[in-house]
Amino acid sequence: MSKDFLVQLCELIGQPFVLTESSDQKKYVSDWFGRASGKAIAVARPSSTQEVANIVKLCQKYQISIVPQGGNTGLVGGGLPDNSGKELVLSLERMNKVRTIDLMGKTITVDTGLILANLHQSAKEHGMEFPLTMGSQGSATIGGMLSTNAGGTSVVRYGNARDLCLGLEVVTAEGEIWNGLRTLRKNNTGYDLKDLYIGAEGTLGIITGAVLKLIPTPKVKLSALLSLESPSAAISLLEFVQNKANSQLTAFELISDTCLSLVDHYFPQYSYPFASKTPYCVLLEISDTESESHAFDLLNSILEESIEKALITDAIIPQSIMQSNRFWEIREHIPLSQVEDGKNVKHDISLPISLIPTFLEKARLLVLEAFPSARIIDFGHLGDGNIHYNVAAPLHSSPEEFMQNKATINDMIHELVHDMDGSISAEHGIGANKAHELVKFKSPIELELMRQIKNSLDPRGIFNPHKILL
Ligand SMILES: Cc1cc2nc3c(=O)[nH]c(=O)nc-3n(C[C@H](O)[C@H](O)[C@H](O)COP(=O)(O)OP(=O)(O)OC[C@H]3O[C@@H](n4cnc5c(N)ncnc54)[C@H](O)[C@@H]3O)c2cc1C
């Protein structure tokens, strides 16, 4: 049966685009860290929405499950097949074109296999910007970004992927094509279907096209690194800067000493930026539509007043745009230095912003009581209440051995988050890795409504089984 399926799949999209050899499949069946992996019956790489629809119909006929995949940078196993060798990975990577740009309406319509960095480039060529940036943008695709409702560094100003999307084209579980590629800013005509598919992690349909919002490119973006004593000081600083810079504040990232030290250790070219150690620092960015000098004036006055108000202890003001960009390179090297450091227990959590200092203190006490020498690597998008709270093995001990405590640490942190009205997934999604936890933290009625939606849009469960909902 699987032979017939593969023969027909090759007829639909061409043999070179159906990968069955394990050596060819490797990059599609293991995650960005190269740590989680699965097996697939094949990897299909269609080139058009019609081909995607034809594949879905074929999979319905043979009852083959489909795992939609973009850049495979999601970190929760959502885009990976299980170990059965029976699921089909459907990679959107060949569907990577910009379809149209509407400069007056400030929208761009794209294939969803388009890589985020390439979208940025296309928008830039037209004097526009797509204001969602993140460390994985060189590989992450628009389909993956929408399916995980990705956040990134500018949510504090522009919102997450959902806020930046106006319309979708989706292939349904029956292999039909829903053309919802609307460019409308207002459309109150019943249930908003696109909002169901956004954040669904490929469990309800395959997103093949999208209309996204653009903004005029700011004249300049400037960043500064500010050292401070505590997360509470960071919250006070956030409030002050939001009042002072208003919509010009486009990023506000919290970074702990452990992160700066880790980057310094593994990537010495990004040495510890301050003269002396600081418990925490904030990387903030302002965007200015007027001029570079206007931006520097605003940044300087923010920093002067922050020092006067004793909100910060030190500041590094960039001498050039290049130096400003370099601060972001330090930020982007935090996940990379964690890869070098070995496995750690990760949490991508969000909380009401005002509760973050309390959470960090409570979590620290809990973790260190149970694992006295563990290293806490905490950083995140403080402006959105989103912290990446990672717990690493004590120095000079085995990360592999420490990972045996993963479930205990996950429970500890996620229960604290839940008790404080937070979320156990802020931006990476639930995927396969957190599905067993979702049942603990969502109410029965919420889970039941989610199951009803899944059953009505994908009654035979062909799309991404065992992801989000077990
Ligand atoms: C270094 C690094 C930094 C990151 N930083 C951030 C960050 O700051 N903010 C943030 O939000 N996230 C961040 N992420 C994770 C982020 O979720 C992913 O980078 C991205 O959103 C997923 O895109 P992708 O194309 O790689 O999707 P994949 O990993 O391929 O897939 C993700 C999920 O979407 C589904 N999917 C993919 N394409 C489609 C489609 N066309 N239709 C339906 N379903 C689909 C998959 O089945 C899977 O469930 C980071 C990841 C890394 C590795």
Side-chain angles (χ1 to χ4, degrees):
M1 184 188 94
S2 63
K3 199 167 163 224
D4 288 352
F5 168 76
L6 289 173
V7 169
Q8 289 182 41
L9 185 59
C10 290
E11 282 168 7
L12 285 181
I13 63 172
Q15 192 169 10
F17 306 114
V18 178
L19 310 178
T20 49
E21 296 297 325
S22 57
S23 53
D24 295 335
Q25 288 185 3
K26 208 167 167 202
K27 81 165 189 169
Y28 304 90
V29 297
S30 53
D31 76 351
W32 187 83
F33 284 122
R35 289 175 181 164
S37 60
K39 281 189 202 141
I41 183 171
V43 177
R45 301 166 63 234
S47 65
S48 69
T49 302
Q50 191 56 57
E51 284 190 356
V52 174
N54 294 343
I55 293 172
V56 172
K57 284 186 183 146
L58 184 69
C59 287
Q60 282 288 12
K61 183 174 158 197
Y62 285 90
Q63 281 299 289
I64 303 275
S65 305
I66 300 174
V67 181
Q69 192 181 87
N72 211 356
T73 66
L75 300 174
V76 290
L80 293 181
D82 64 16
N83 280 313
S84 66
K86 292 182 178 164
E87 296 185 329
L88 178 76
V89 171
L90 191 150
S91 167
L92 280 290
E93 69 185 353
R94 290 178 64 224
M95 295 172 58
N96 54 18
K97 305 270 181 314
V98 171
R99 298 190 190 175
T100 52
I101 294 192
D102 175 356
L103 294 179
M104 174 56 75
K106 297 188 179 52
T107 62
I108 186 165
T109 305
V110 299
D111 290 346
T112 52
L114 183 68
I115 288 175
L116 180 55
N118 295 344
L119 167 63
H120 289 154
Q121 184 56 32
S122 297
K124 193 173 166 193
E125 284 162 13
H126 291 83
M128 306 293 272
E129 183 174 294
F130 178 65
L132 193 155
T133 54
M134 54 187 180
S136 54
Q137 63 198 26
S139 307
T141 63
I142 303 311
M145 178 198 85
L146 288 167
S147 298
T148 57
N149 187 24
T153 52
S154 300
V155 175
V156 67
R157 170 67 182 91
Y158 300 107
N160 45 31
R162 188 187 300 283
D163 300 305
L164 294 168
C165 180
L166 293 172
L168 291 182
E169 176 188 80
V170 175
V171 172
T172 71
E174 304 309 321
E176 285 172 313
I177 299 170
W178 170 53
N179 183 342
L181 290 172
R182 301 187 182 99
T183 57
L184 305 174
R185 308 256 163 181
K186 288 186 166 183
N187 176 24
N188 286 343
T189 50
Y191 308 135
D192 194 334
L193 297 180
K194 79 173 159 28
D195 272 344
L196 278 180
Y197 291 107
I198 295 172
E201 299 182 50
T203 61
L204 300 180
I206 301 177
I207 305 176
T208 49
V211 182
L212 304 168
K213 294 181 193 169
L214 297 175
I215 59 162
T217 309
K219 279 261 167 19
V220 63
K221 288 182 185 181
L222 269 188
S223 299
L225 268 181
L226 320 181
S227 68
L228 24 76
E229 287 298 339
S230 65
S232 294
I235 298 286
S236 306
L237 179 69
L238 173 64
E239 198 182 2
F240 166 68
V241 180
Q242 276 176 326
N243 287 334
K244 177 102 184 157
N246 209 316
S247 59
Q248 281 185 261
L249 176 66
T250 43
F252 196 95
E253 300 278 311
L254 183 71
I255 304 173
S256 67
D257 163 64
T258 44
C259 298
L260 294 178
S261 302
L262 213 60
V263 173
D264 178 314
H265 180 75
Y266 289 106
F267 297 95
Q269 67 272 36
Y270 297 109
S271 58
Y272 203 92
F274 297 98
S276 57
K277 290 264 183 188
T278 176
Y280 282 93
C281 76
V282 159
L283 170 57
L284 68 77
E285 176 190 82
I286 55 163
S287 298
D288 200 298
T289 49
E290 227 168 273
S291 66
E292 199 171 315
S293 63
H294 192 256
F296 269 109
D297 287 348
L298 175 63
L299 196 58
N300 281 325
S301 81
I302 287 174
L303 301 185
E304 274 164 27
E305 284 184 54
S306 303
I307 287 184
E308 271 166 29
K309 289 174 187 294
L311 295 173
I312 62 174
T313 50
D314 194 6
I316 309 178
I317 306 168
Q319 301 305 310
S320 62
I321 302 292
M322 216 168 94
Q323 193 188 2
S324 173
N325 293 342
R326 203 167 162 81
F327 297 152
W328 283 99
E329 290 170 23
I330 296 179
R331 165 68 179 80
E332 278 156 20
H333 277 74
I334 299 172
L336 301 178
S337 57
Q338 286 181 93
V339 174
E340 297 296 319
D341 195 56
K343 283 187 175 179
N344 58 44
V345 184
K346 295 190 182 303
H347 309 90
D348 160 39
I349 51 133
S350 72
L351 290 141
I353 294 176
S354 60
L355 296 184
I356 287 201
T358 314
F359 164 79
L360 288 174
E361 182 53 15
K362 283 188 176 180
R364 190 180 70 83
L365 292 175
L366 278 174
V367 169
L368 294 184
E369 192 185 348
F371 306 98
S373 308
R375 289 170 298 147
I376 295 166
I377 302 164
D378 49 341
F379 63 101
H381 316 297
L382 188 69
D384 326 323
N386 174 195
I387 297 291
H388 299 300
Y389 194 85
N390 303 328
V391 183
L395 276 178
H396 313 302
S397 67
S398 153
E400 301 294 332
E401 249 172 58
F402 187 73
M403 288 306 284
Q404 288 167 12
N405 304 305
K406 181 177 180 301
T408 312
I409 299 175
N410 284 162
D411 282 351
M412 203 183 266
I413 298 302
H414 286 159
E415 268 160 32
L416 177 61
V417 166
H418 183 66
D419 288 348
M420 296 179 74
D421 294 327
S423 166
I424 62 161
S425 177
E427 53 180 17
H428 291 177
I430 296 296
N433 300 0
K434 288 188 183 172
H436 65 288
E437 293 196 86
L438 199 70
V439 286
K440 279 196 251 170
F441 297 114
K442 285 260 185 209
S443 68
I445 175 91
E446 210 168 350
L447 285 169
E448 182 50 29
L449 289 170
M450 285 171 69
R451 286 194 187 101
Q452 284 177 21
I453 291 169
K454 169 74 178 170
N455 290 340
S456 66
L457 292 183
D458 181 18
R460 285 180 291 278
I462 198 169
F463 288 137
N464 235 353
H466 317 301
K467 310 288 167 59
I468 304 184
L469 293 166
L470 286 176

